[in-house]
Amino acid sequence: MQSSATVLVYSDDANTRAQVRLAVGRRPASDVPPVEFLECATLPAVLKELDRGGIDVCVLDGEAVPAGGMGVCRQLKDEVFQCPPVLLLIGRPQDAWLATWSRADAAVTLPVEPVEFADALASLLRKRLAVGA
């Protein structure tokens, strides 16, 4: 198992980024490595970090302004070679179809519910790390 996993968290709202960090703690599940968070508040920062590489999972806020996470997700899936899996934060359960349109790998609703979020993140990390092994 790799020593740690890097999770990029994109939201213009510092409270949303904090909810994500607090929901996961140091590790989302015992069978995945501890996570290190890389926080981004703007789309240019997200693109810069993805160009740098080393991101295992992206968590995108669908309610972010001015570039919402759904549009950002679709852009990343189209433009980033071997795009990491994306966990999309959506405002309402009814927005799940938009998460599908954006090609997100998983979606959870805001506010972040810790168990649901940690389970979704751990699942994406398992898949990503199995492919990289």
Side-chain angles (χ1 to χ4, degrees):
M1 180 173 4
Q2 75 183 49
S3 62
S4 68
T6 303
V7 175
L8 182 144
V9 181
Y10 164 64
S11 179
D12 66 315
D13 184 347
N15 290 327
T16 300
R17 296 191 307 268
Q19 282 182 43
V20 167
R21 284 192 326 273
L22 292 172
V24 174
R26 293 233 341 108
R27 115 189 296 157
S30 61
D31 63 333
V32 297
V35 295
E36 295 178 10
F37 292 102
L38 184 59
E39 295 184 32
C40 297
T42 65
L43 177 56
V46 169
L47 298 174
K48 179 180 172 184
E49 293 301 334
L50 286 169
D51 278 345
R52 232 186 264 192
I55 306 297
D56 293 300
V57 174
C58 295
V59 176
L60 307 178
D61 179 3
E63 305 297 311
V65 177
M70 292 181 206
V72 170
C73 180
R74 191 161 174 100
Q75 178 181 350
L76 297 179
K77 294 293 186 173
D78 284 341
E79 298 177 2
V80 175
F81 179 67
Q82 295 180 335
C83 182
V86 174
L87 176 53
L88 191 60
L89 304 174
I90 56 178
R92 322 171 291 154
Q94 297 88 342
D95 292 337
W97 73 272
L98 288 168
T100 301
W101 168 85
S102 72
R103 299 199 302 255
D105 299 278
V108 296
T109 55
L110 287 169
V112 173
E113 196 286 313
V115 173
E116 176 189 23
F117 182 81
D119 287 347
L121 181 60
S123 176
L124 293 179
L125 283 169
R126 285 183 201 103
K127 290 176 189 172
R128 177 69 171 197
L129 298 176
V131 169

